[in-house]
PDB file of all heavy atoms in Angstrom:
ATOM      1  N   ASN C 544    -110.100-131.198  12.929  1.00 83.00           N
ATOM      2  CA  ASN C 544    -109.305-130.312  12.080  1.00 83.00           C
ATOM      3  C   ASN C 544    -107.809-130.409  12.364  1.00 83.00           C
ATOM      4  O   ASN C 544    -107.039-129.494  12.060  1.00 83.00           O
ATOM      5  CB  ASN C 544    -109.789-128.870  12.248  1.00 83.00           C
ATOM      6  CG  ASN C 544    -111.126-128.634  11.563  1.00 83.00           C
ATOM      7  OD1 ASN C 544    -111.213-128.496  10.354  1.00 83.00           O
ATOM      8  ND2 ASN C 544    -112.193-128.622  12.366  1.00 83.00           N
ATOM      9  N   LEU C 545    -107.405-131.553  12.958  1.00 84.00           N
ATOM     10  CA  LEU C 545    -106.003-131.945  13.072  1.00 84.00           C
ATOM     11  C   LEU C 545    -105.192-131.101  14.043  1.00 84.00           C
ATOM     12  O   LEU C 545    -103.960-131.029  13.929  1.00 84.00           O
ATOM     13  CB  LEU C 545    -105.318-131.943  11.689  1.00 84.00           C
ATOM     14  CG  LEU C 545    -106.013-132.766  10.608  1.00 84.00           C
ATOM     15  CD1 LEU C 545    -105.265-132.655   9.303  1.00 84.00           C
ATOM     16  CD2 LEU C 545    -106.122-134.216  11.047  1.00 84.00           C
ATOM     17  N   CYS C 546    -105.848-130.459  15.015  1.00 90.00           N
ATOM     18  CA  CYS C 546    -105.100-129.804  16.083  1.00 90.00           C
ATOM     19  C   CYS C 546    -104.396-130.898  16.893  1.00 90.00           C
ATOM     20  O   CYS C 546    -104.957-131.975  17.118  1.00 90.00           O
ATOM     21  CB  CYS C 546    -106.045-128.998  16.967  1.00 90.00           C
ATOM     22  SG  CYS C 546    -105.212-128.062  18.277  1.00 90.00           S
ATOM     23  N   ASP C 547    -103.184-130.649  17.332  1.00 90.00           N
ATOM     24  CA  ASP C 547    -102.379-131.689  17.970  1.00 90.00           C
ATOM     25  C   ASP C 547    -102.681-131.858  19.455  1.00 90.00           C
ATOM     26  O   ASP C 547    -102.721-132.981  19.959  1.00 90.00           O
ATOM     27  CB  ASP C 547    -100.889-131.368  17.800  1.00 90.00           C
ATOM     28  CG  ASP C 547    -100.504-131.216  16.347  1.00 90.00           C
ATOM     29  OD1 ASP C 547    -100.531-132.225  15.631  1.00 90.00           O
ATOM     30  OD2 ASP C 547    -100.197-130.079  15.932  1.00 90.00           O
ATOM     31  N   GLU C 548    -102.874-130.736  20.158  1.00 93.00           N
ATOM     32  CA  GLU C 548    -103.000-130.804  21.611  1.00 93.00           C
ATOM     33  C   GLU C 548    -104.065-129.828  22.100  1.00 93.00           C
ATOM     34  O   GLU C 548    -104.366-128.844  21.426  1.00 93.00           O
ATOM     35  CB  GLU C 548    -101.654-130.469  22.282  1.00 93.00           C
ATOM     36  CG  GLU C 548    -100.514-131.384  21.861  1.00 93.00           C
ATOM     37  CD  GLU C 548     -99.151-130.819  22.231  1.00 93.00           C
ATOM     38  OE1 GLU C 548     -99.099-129.876  23.063  1.00 93.00           O
ATOM     39  OE2 GLU C 548     -98.140-131.292  21.687  1.00 93.00           O
ATOM     40  N   MET C 549    -104.604-130.113  23.280  1.00 94.00           N
ATOM     41  CA  MET C 549    -105.586-129.219  23.886  1.00 94.00           C
ATOM     42  C   MET C 549    -105.282-129.033  25.363  1.00 94.00           C
ATOM     43  O   MET C 549    -104.623-129.850  26.001  1.00 94.00           O
ATOM     44  CB  MET C 549    -107.011-129.750  23.698  1.00 94.00           C
ATOM     45  CG  MET C 549    -107.313-131.101  24.359  1.00 94.00           C
ATOM     46  SD  MET C 549    -107.657-131.060  26.152  1.00 94.00           S
ATOM     47  CE  MET C 549    -109.238-130.278  26.154  1.00 94.00           C
ATOM     48  N   GLN C 550    -105.807-127.921  25.901  1.00 95.00           N
ATOM     49  CA  GLN C 550    -105.647-127.597  27.318  1.00 95.00           C
ATOM     50  C   GLN C 550    -106.890-126.835  27.739  1.00 95.00           C
ATOM     51  O   GLN C 550    -107.317-125.902  27.052  1.00 95.00           O
ATOM     52  CB  GLN C 550    -104.392-126.745  27.519  1.00 95.00           C
ATOM     53  CG  GLN C 550    -104.167-126.238  28.925  1.00 95.00           C
ATOM     54  CD  GLN C 550    -102.916-125.372  29.024  1.00 95.00           C
ATOM     55  OE1 GLN C 550    -102.024-125.458  28.185  1.00 95.00           O
ATOM     56  NE2 GLN C 550    -102.853-124.518  30.029  1.00 95.00           N
ATOM     57  N   GLY C 551    -107.494-127.217  28.846  1.00 94.00           N
ATOM     58  CA  GLY C 551    -108.688-126.498  29.274  1.00 94.00           C
ATOM     59  C   GLY C 551    -109.482-127.243  30.319  1.00 94.00           C
ATOM     60  O   GLY C 551    -109.172-128.388  30.687  1.00 94.00           O
ATOM     61  N   PHE C 552    -110.551-126.610  30.786  1.00 94.00           N
ATOM     62  CA  PHE C 552    -111.370-127.154  31.862  1.00 94.00           C
ATOM     63  C   PHE C 552    -112.050-128.467  31.474  1.00 94.00           C
ATOM     64  O   PHE C 552    -112.449-129.224  32.350  1.00 94.00           O
ATOM     65  CB  PHE C 552    -112.433-126.140  32.284  1.00 94.00           C
ATOM     66  CG  PHE C 552    -111.894-124.979  33.077  1.00 94.00           C
ATOM     67  CD1 PHE C 552    -110.532-124.802  33.245  1.00 94.00           C
ATOM     68  CD2 PHE C 552    -112.750-124.057  33.660  1.00 94.00           C
ATOM     69  CE1 PHE C 552    -110.030-123.739  33.979  1.00 94.00           C
ATOM     70  CE2 PHE C 552    -112.263-122.983  34.403  1.00 94.00           C
ATOM     71  CZ  PHE C 552    -110.891-122.832  34.560  1.00 94.00           C
ATOM     72  N   LEU C 553    -112.228-128.725  30.184  1.00 92.00           N
ATOM     73  CA  LEU C 553    -112.869-129.972  29.770  1.00 92.00           C
ATOM     74  C   LEU C 553    -112.113-131.170  30.331  1.00 92.00           C
ATOM     75  O   LEU C 553    -112.728-132.166  30.730  1.00 92.00           O
ATOM     76  CB  LEU C 553    -112.920-130.056  28.242  1.00 92.00           C
ATOM     77  CG  LEU C 553    -113.491-131.358  27.668  1.00 92.00           C
ATOM     78  CD1 LEU C 553    -114.960-131.500  28.038  1.00 92.00           C
ATOM     79  CD2 LEU C 553    -113.321-131.405  26.152  1.00 92.00           C
ATOM     80  N   PHE C 554    -110.791-131.080  30.375  1.00 93.00           N
ATOM     81  CA  PHE C 554    -109.988-132.186  30.899  1.00 93.00           C
ATOM     82  C   PHE C 554    -109.589-131.940  32.350  1.00 93.00           C
ATOM     83  O   PHE C 554    -109.716-132.808  33.202  1.00 93.00           O
ATOM     84  CB  PHE C 554    -108.735-132.387  30.051  1.00 93.00           C
ATOM     85  CG  PHE C 554    -107.915-133.572  30.484  1.00 93.00           C
ATOM     86  CD1 PHE C 554    -108.292-134.855  30.125  1.00 93.00           C
ATOM     87  CD2 PHE C 554    -106.789-133.410  31.271  1.00 93.00           C
ATOM     88  CE1 PHE C 554    -107.546-135.955  30.538  1.00 93.00           C
ATOM     89  CE2 PHE C 554    -106.040-134.494  31.691  1.00 93.00           C
ATOM     90  CZ  PHE C 554    -106.421-135.776  31.327  1.00 93.00           C
ATOM     91  N   SER C 555    -109.085-130.726  32.645  1.00 94.00           N
ATOM     92  CA  SER C 555    -108.641-130.431  34.007  1.00 94.00           C
ATOM     93  C   SER C 555    -108.499-128.938  34.214  1.00 94.00           C
ATOM     94  O   SER C 555    -107.995-128.232  33.338  1.00 94.00           O
ATOM     95  CB  SER C 555    -107.301-131.117  34.298  1.00 94.00           C
ATOM     96  OG  SER C 555    -106.776-130.705  35.551  1.00 94.00           O
ATOM     97  N   LYS C 556    -108.908-128.472  35.363  1.00 94.00           N
ATOM     98  CA  LYS C 556    -108.624-127.105  35.771  1.00 94.00           C
ATOM     99  C   LYS C 556    -107.183-127.036  36.275  1.00 94.00           C
ATOM    100  O   LYS C 556    -106.561-128.063  36.546  1.00 94.00           O
ATOM    101  CB  LYS C 556    -109.583-126.668  36.882  1.00 94.00           C
ATOM    102  CG  LYS C 556    -111.037-126.601  36.460  1.00 94.00           C
ATOM    103  CD  LYS C 556    -111.909-126.142  37.629  1.00 94.00           C
ATOM    104  CE  LYS C 556    -113.375-126.034  37.209  1.00 94.00           C
ATOM    105  NZ  LYS C 556    -114.233-125.584  38.331  1.00 94.00           N
ATOM    106  N   PRO C 557    -106.620-125.830  36.420  1.00 94.00           N
ATOM    107  CA  PRO C 557    -105.314-125.722  37.075  1.00 94.00           C
ATOM    108  C   PRO C 557    -105.438-126.211  38.520  1.00 94.00           C
ATOM    109  O   PRO C 557    -106.333-125.784  39.249  1.00 94.00           O
ATOM    110  CB  PRO C 557    -105.003-124.219  37.020  1.00 94.00           C
ATOM    111  CG  PRO C 557    -105.834-123.695  35.886  1.00 94.00           C
ATOM    112  CD  PRO C 557    -107.081-124.514  35.907  1.00 94.00           C
ATOM    113  N   VAL C 558    -104.555-127.120  38.921  1.00 94.00           N
ATOM    114  CA  VAL C 558    -104.643-127.715  40.248  1.00 94.00           C
ATOM    115  C   VAL C 558    -103.282-127.640  40.929  1.00 94.00           C
ATOM    116  O   VAL C 558    -102.248-127.447  40.283  1.00 94.00           O
ATOM    117  CB  VAL C 558    -105.111-129.184  40.170  1.00 94.00           C
ATOM    118  CG1 VAL C 558    -106.531-129.265  39.648  1.00 94.00           C
ATOM    119  CG2 VAL C 558    -104.165-130.017  39.303  1.00 94.00           C
ATOM    120  N   ALA C 559    -103.279-127.812  42.240  1.00 93.00           N
ATOM    121  CA  ALA C 559    -102.032-127.824  42.998  1.00 93.00           C
ATOM    122  C   ALA C 559    -101.182-129.019  42.589  1.00 93.00           C
ATOM    123  O   ALA C 559    -101.670-129.986  41.978  1.00 93.00           O
ATOM    124  CB  ALA C 559    -102.338-127.871  44.490  1.00 93.00           C
ATOM    125  N   SER C 560     -99.907-128.969  42.938  1.00 92.00           N
ATOM    126  CA  SER C 560     -98.968-130.014  42.525  1.00 92.00           C
ATOM    127  C   SER C 560     -99.435-131.400  42.954  1.00 92.00           C
ATOM    128  O   SER C 560     -99.365-132.360  42.180  1.00 92.00           O
ATOM    129  CB  SER C 560     -97.580-129.720  43.096  1.00 92.00           C
ATOM    130  OG  SER C 560     -96.685-130.765  42.805  1.00 92.00           O
ATOM    131  N   SER C 561     -99.942-131.517  44.166  1.00 92.00           N
ATOM    132  CA  SER C 561    -100.375-132.824  44.672  1.00 92.00           C
ATOM    133  C   SER C 561    -101.518-133.401  43.842  1.00 92.00           C
ATOM    134  O   SER C 561    -101.541-134.605  43.555  1.00 92.00           O
ATOM    135  CB  SER C 561    -100.798-132.701  46.138  1.00 92.00           C
ATOM    136  OG  SER C 561    -101.839-131.730  46.281  1.00 92.00           O
ATOM    137  N   ALA C 562    -102.463-132.548  43.450  1.00 93.00           N
ATOM    138  CA  ALA C 562    -103.599-133.010  42.637  1.00 93.00           C
ATOM    139  C   ALA C 562    -103.140-133.402  41.245  1.00 93.00           C
ATOM    140  O   ALA C 562    -103.658-134.362  40.650  1.00 93.00           O
ATOM    141  CB  ALA C 562    -104.664-131.922  42.563  1.00 93.00           C
ATOM    142  N   PHE C 563    -102.166-132.675  40.696  1.00 93.00           N
ATOM    143  CA  PHE C 563    -101.653-133.039  39.379  1.00 93.00           C
ATOM    144  C   PHE C 563    -100.920-134.378  39.435  1.00 93.00           C
ATOM    145  O   PHE C 563    -101.016-135.196  38.512  1.00 93.00           O
ATOM    146  CB  PHE C 563    -100.721-131.952  38.846  1.00 93.00           C
ATOM    147  CG  PHE C 563    -100.114-132.276  37.506  1.00 93.00           C
ATOM    148  CD1 PHE C 563    -100.902-132.331  36.369  1.00 93.00           C
ATOM    149  CD2 PHE C 563     -98.760-132.550  37.392  1.00 93.00           C
ATOM    150  CE1 PHE C 563    -100.358-132.644  35.131  1.00 93.00           C
ATOM    151  CE2 PHE C 563     -98.195-132.852  36.156  1.00 93.00           C
ATOM    152  CZ  PHE C 563     -99.003-132.901  35.028  1.00 93.00           C
ATOM    153  N   VAL C 564    -100.210-134.630  40.528  1.00 92.00           N
ATOM    154  CA  VAL C 564     -99.539-135.919  40.705  1.00 92.00           C
ATOM    155  C   VAL C 564    -100.566-137.047  40.713  1.00 92.00           C
ATOM    156  O   VAL C 564    -100.365-138.094  40.087  1.00 92.00           O
ATOM    157  CB  VAL C 564     -98.722-135.916  42.011  1.00 92.00           C
ATOM    158  CG1 VAL C 564     -98.303-137.335  42.386  1.00 92.00           C
ATOM    159  CG2 VAL C 564     -97.492-135.032  41.862  1.00 92.00           C
ATOM    160  N   GLU C 565    -101.685-136.845  41.392  1.00 91.00           N
ATOM    161  CA  GLU C 565    -102.749-137.860  41.419  1.00 91.00           C
ATOM    162  C   GLU C 565    -103.288-138.111  40.020  1.00 91.00           C
ATOM    163  O   GLU C 565    -103.591-139.258  39.654  1.00 91.00           O
ATOM    164  CB  GLU C 565    -103.876-137.406  42.346  1.00 91.00           C
ATOM    165  CG  GLU C 565    -103.479-137.342  43.816  1.00 91.00           C
ATOM    166  CD  GLU C 565    -104.592-136.806  44.689  1.00 91.00           C
ATOM    167  OE1 GLU C 565    -105.684-136.499  44.143  1.00 91.00           O
ATOM    168  OE2 GLU C 565    -104.389-136.672  45.907  1.00 91.00           O
ATOM    169  N   LEU C 566    -103.420-137.039  39.222  1.00 92.00           N
ATOM    170  CA  LEU C 566    -103.908-137.192  37.845  1.00 92.00           C
ATOM    171  C   LEU C 566    -102.934-138.036  37.026  1.00 92.00           C
ATOM    172  O   LEU C 566    -103.350-138.910  36.252  1.00 92.00           O
ATOM    173  CB  LEU C 566    -104.101-135.808  37.225  1.00 92.00           C
ATOM    174  CG  LEU C 566    -104.712-135.719  35.828  1.00 92.00           C
ATOM    175  CD1 LEU C 566    -105.530-134.435  35.694  1.00 92.00           C
ATOM    176  CD2 LEU C 566    -103.646-135.731  34.737  1.00 92.00           C
ATOM    177  N   LEU C 567    -101.621-137.800  37.202  1.00 88.00           N
ATOM    178  CA  LEU C 567    -100.622-138.587  36.481  1.00 88.00           C
ATOM    179  C   LEU C 567    -100.644-140.045  36.931  1.00 88.00           C
ATOM    180  O   LEU C 567    -100.581-140.969  36.110  1.00 88.00           O
ATOM    181  CB  LEU C 567     -99.232-137.994  36.700  1.00 88.00           C
ATOM    182  CG  LEU C 567     -98.869-136.716  35.945  1.00 88.00           C
ATOM    183  CD1 LEU C 567     -97.471-136.253  36.344  1.00 88.00           C
ATOM    184  CD2 LEU C 567     -98.939-136.919  34.442  1.00 88.00           C
TER     185      LEU C 567
END
Side-chain angles (χ1 to χ4, degrees):
N544 287 283
L545 306 179
C546 183
D547 303 292
E548 302 165 15
M549 63 80 71
Q550 175 181 339
F552 286 7
L553 176 65
F554 184 79
S555 173
K556 296 181 178 180
V558 294
S560 175
S561 57
F563 178 68
V564 166
E565 293 176 1
L566 185 148
L567 284 177

